[in-house]
Amino acid sequence: MRRVALGAVAVAAALVVGPWIYINVVRDEAPAALDLPATSVAVEPTDAPGATAAPTTTTAPADPSGTWVAAAGSVAGYRVDEVLFGQRVTAVGRTSGVTGEITIDGGALRAAAFTVDLTTVASDNAKRDSQFANRIMDVLNHPTATFALTEPVEIGSAALAGAELATAATGELTLRGTTRPVVVDLRARLAGSTIEVSATTEIVFADWGIPDPSLPGIRTEDRGILEVLLVLGRA
């Protein structure tokens, strides 16, 4: 009986210590939240072969009016807090499969529409990615997420001159076949041939018919953060 009890204690200890070692020693830290880069980048027109990003100055464009499209460096993803076998972690999945454009006219953002390829979202865990693609987001039937601006956003003279803009944007977000209004927190910067935008909004899973991501041994919050970093070049 004593051996059985000792065996049970050993198993319990392994279940606690093993995940702790993996999460705190072996597993890499979750990536930092998507944010405006410390150094602005310039992008070539999207129809230029081999367009790449390169360092540039932070001089604002003389007139940002017109259409700007998502270019190399644009990223979208999620952040969700989990409790993994008693250890708190942050799950992060991302993709560079971001397309779309914005229109600026008369000192305001008049239109914005973006699509994210959910079939290419990846985290640091293949099992999590399988759950995301199948049970959670059902990417076979809903391969994309979309956002469309529904109200203009005033840019302001300071931002037009190159200062960072912090504001909110109202639009419609479609996830897993459900479309709902959202308010997105934005930070943006005009920099030469580039517009850089970081955007976040909280997603309550049930509001979009997203199943509870939790599994035996893994408990997630009932909500997560949708985060986007856009690098935009002139169309």
Side-chain angles (χ1 to χ4, degrees):
M1 180 65 70
R2 184 182 179 188
R3 289 182 178 179
V4 172
L6 289 174
V9 170
V11 171
L15 290 174
V16 173
V17 175
W20 187 93
I21 293 174
Y22 170 73
I23 292 167
N24 294 283
V25 179
V26 179
R27 185 175 184 269
D28 292 334
E29 290 288 333
L34 293 175
D35 200 356
L36 296 180
T39 303
S40 300
V41 298
V43 295
E44 298 178 25
T46 53
D47 57 354
T52 58
T56 186
T57 65
T58 56
T59 303
D63 181 5
S65 296
T67 300
W68 299 73
V69 297
S74 297
V75 182
Y78 66 81
R79 304 180 71 84
V80 179
D81 290 333
E82 297 179 340
V83 177
L84 177 60
F85 295 102
Q87 302 294 315
R88 292 189 174 276
V89 300
T90 299
V92 177
R94 289 179 178 168
T95 177
S96 58
V98 181
T99 58
E101 64 182 37
I102 67 172
T103 300
I104 296 175
D105 183 52
L109 175 64
R110 300 294 179 184
F114 292 93
T115 297
V116 177
D117 181 1
L118 298 182
T119 68
T120 59
V121 173
S123 69
D124 64 347
N125 188 296
K127 291 183 178 179
R128 179 189 295 122
D129 296 341
S130 178
Q131 288 290 323
F132 175 90
N134 295 289
R135 180 177 67 88
I136 298 171
M137 296 306 296
D138 185 18
V139 300
L140 180 63
N141 295 303
H142 309 290
T144 63
T146 63
F147 172 83
L149 188 73
T150 54
E151 297 180 13
V153 177
E154 294 296 327
I155 296 175
S157 58
L160 289 171
E164 183 179 305
L165 171 68
T167 187
T170 301
E172 290 188 335
L173 176 67
T174 300
L175 291 173
R176 214 177 190 274
T178 297
T179 301
R180 292 177 55 87
V182 292
V183 176
V184 179
D185 293 323
L186 295 179
R187 291 176 59 210
R189 179 170 58 207
L190 305 175
S193 61
T194 300
I195 296 179
E196 300 154 349
V197 182
S198 67
T200 61
T201 191
E202 184 179 73
I203 302 298
V204 177
F205 302 138
D207 289 347
W208 273 267
I210 298 172
D212 182 355
S214 299
L215 291 169
I218 304 173
R219 177 173 57 82
T220 69
E221 298 293 336
D222 66 350
R223 64 198 64 204
I225 299 297
L226 173 63
E227 56 180 2
V228 180
L229 176 62
L230 298 173
V231 178
L232 305 169
R234 282 201 180 273

